[in-house]
Amino acid sequence: MNAIEIKKLKKSFHGKKNQKTVEAVKGISLSVKPGEIFGFLGPNGAGKTTSLRMLTTLLPIDEGKVGIGKYDVKKNPSEVRRHIGYVGQLGGADMEATGRENLMLSGRLYGMSKNNVQEQSEQLIDLLDLRDIIDRLVKTYSGGQRRRLEIALGILHKPDVLFLDEPTTGLDPQNRANLWEHILKLKDAGMTVFLTTHYLDEADELCDRLCIMDKGVIVAEGTPQSLKRKISGDVVSIKPKSEHEDIAHIFSGDKNVLDIRTEGEKTNLYVRNGAIAMPEIFNMLKARDIELESVSLSQPSLDDVFLKQTGRSLRDTGMEASL
């Protein structure tokens, strides 16, 4: 049995008079296996958070079906809540209480005995490196420390599935990397983790499988490696010194160039073999007296996958309001 099963899930938001209806989620279907980290990658406004809120019973489902283990989200929301943990973008810890007090309150609200809460809290304090700060007020925590506490609150009752909505937004690179290590520890302990993110490196580092979501639909699904393999070969990025040089026109029709994408002043050439293609590319540019400001050779990224599927770069989609 899959940890999560989603079939044709839909959600729309109806505006006031003279405002159009927004289709936030447009009939997505997917499954998540037990014990894996599954990610929703996409820009803000893609429908990731809306989907997550439906999976966790926080938003009513318009159409479709969601199963968490053997429980139907529509029919058995109370049972679903007992078997999941949820850490939203805004967290949920009481800032005026200590970390230990937060854990005790959360456990008791889940119906756990005092001894059980204390025993489980001690395990999580060690697992998530909270020992040195657990008896301090949460308002004195750094962003990374508070996020680790919030994850502890989300898994205190030993849920089958943990949902993390943009878990590292606002954290500096060091704290992000530290939190990644702790999320991977949860996977090693057998927990299923479902997370949303708009960070390319986060999805690449953490996810066993992922969906790339845009404008309420899933545009690609698979492992990070399999998705990148769909963009065959290598990427040659060229930035000419003159802004007026039409690099794309020069290489259109070249048999070694599989695809061409322009991002601002840069032109990305997707080629079968970068080592073979590079000398020819330089010769063609030299023949036209085109000087380069920069050139680089790399393997395709998840951003290239998003670009191929949508015609836009995930890095350039902007920070719209989350849906």
Side-chain angles (χ1 to χ4, degrees):
M1 178 182 293
N2 286 321
I4 304 172
E5 191 71 44
I6 303 171
K7 295 181 179 179
K8 299 180 180 179
L9 185 64
K10 291 184 180 182
K11 184 66 183 178
S12 297
F13 295 101
H14 305 284
K16 298 178 181 178
K17 288 183 178 180
N18 301 322
Q19 292 182 333
K20 66 179 183 179
T21 297
V22 177
E23 293 183 87
V25 182
K26 304 175 182 177
I28 65 171
S29 298
L30 60 92
S31 60
V32 178
K33 301 172 184 176
E36 73 175 345
I37 299 178
F38 189 93
F40 258 11
L41 173 66
N44 290 332
K48 306 186 306 295
T49 294
T50 298
S51 299
L52 201 69
R53 288 174 180 166
M54 286 190 284
L55 302 187
T56 54
T57 76
L58 297 176
L59 268 180
I61 295 169
D62 286 355
E63 294 182 38
K65 184 177 181 180
V66 177
I68 305 295
K70 64 181 180 180
Y71 300 106
D72 186 288
V73 169
K74 277 186 177 180
K75 297 177 181 177
N76 307 106
S78 296
E79 285 298 331
V80 168
R81 292 185 196 112
R82 290 189 182 96
H83 289 82
I84 65 171
Y86 174 71
V87 180
Q89 293 184 31
L90 300 178
D94 183 349
M95 305 294 282
E96 298 297 328
T98 68
R100 193 182 300 276
E101 288 168 342
N102 269 275
L103 288 169
M104 181 59 67
L105 175 61
S106 179
R108 298 295 280 163
L109 288 173
Y110 269 107
M112 299 169 63
S113 69
K114 183 177 179 180
N115 288 340
N116 195 3
V117 176
Q118 290 175 336
E119 180 181 342
Q120 183 65 4
S121 293
E122 289 300 313
Q123 295 178 17
L124 294 178
I125 287 167
D126 289 332
L127 178 68
L128 294 166
D129 292 337
L130 297 168
R131 182 68 60 188
D132 292 340
I133 60 171
I134 196 62
D135 292 308
R136 282 171 31 195
L137 295 179
V138 175
K139 65 181 181 182
T140 68
Y141 288 13
S142 69
Q145 291 168 341
R146 188 165 64 249
R147 213 58 176 143
R148 296 204 307 275
L149 174 65
E150 289 163 354
I151 290 176
L153 294 172
I155 63 176
L156 182 65
H157 60 297
K158 297 184 178 179
D160 298 324
V161 183
L162 174 64
F163 291 93
L164 301 174
D165 192 10
E166 302 281 358
T168 64
T169 294
L171 299 185
D172 60 51
Q174 182 176 353
N175 275 318
R176 286 180 66 213
N178 182 267
L179 190 57
W180 289 354
E181 290 182 14
H182 288 93
I183 292 172
L184 290 170
K185 286 181 184 178
L186 299 180
K187 177 197 170 183
D188 291 341
M191 184 168 290
T192 303
V193 179
F194 188 109
L195 63 86
T196 72
T197 183
H198 61 270
Y199 292 126
L200 296 160
D201 54 346
E202 187 159 276
D204 213 347
E205 179 73 20
L206 291 180
C207 296
D208 298 303
R209 290 189 304 123
L210 60 90
C211 286
I212 296 179
M213 196 169 185
D214 186 43
K215 297 179 180 179
V217 298
I218 293 172
V219 298
E221 180 181 352
T223 66
Q225 294 75 21
S226 69
L227 289 173
K228 288 184 285 187
R229 279 198 299 269
K230 292 180 180 179
I231 312 294
S232 303
D234 300 314
V235 185
V236 181
S237 295
I238 297 171
K239 182 179 180 181
K241 287 186 176 180
S242 172
E243 297 180 7
H244 304 291
E245 296 293 353
D246 187 0
I247 300 297
H249 177 72
I250 295 171
F251 293 98
S252 61
D254 189 301
K255 64 180 181 180
N256 290 320
V257 178
L258 304 173
D259 198 5
I260 303 173
R261 301 281 180 176
T262 300
E263 295 182 58
E265 298 176 359
K266 281 189 176 182
T267 298
N268 292 331
L269 306 177
Y270 296 84
V271 300
R272 291 184 175 84
N273 187 309
I276 294 174
M278 287 281 276
E280 182 178 339
I281 289 171
F282 284 131
N283 288 336
M284 293 177 71
L285 294 173
K286 184 177 180 180
R288 291 165 174 80
D289 294 322
I290 296 175
E291 296 185 35
L292 298 180
E293 181 175 316
S294 65
V295 61
S296 63
L297 175 65
S298 62
Q299 293 183 331
S301 68
L302 290 175
D303 194 39
D304 293 315
V305 179
F306 186 82
L307 183 65
K308 185 175 179 64
Q309 296 293 336
T310 68
R312 299 177 296 141
S313 169
L314 186 56
R315 295 189 180 95
D316 297 333
T317 52
M319 297 295 285
E320 306 167 28
S322 293
L323 283 178

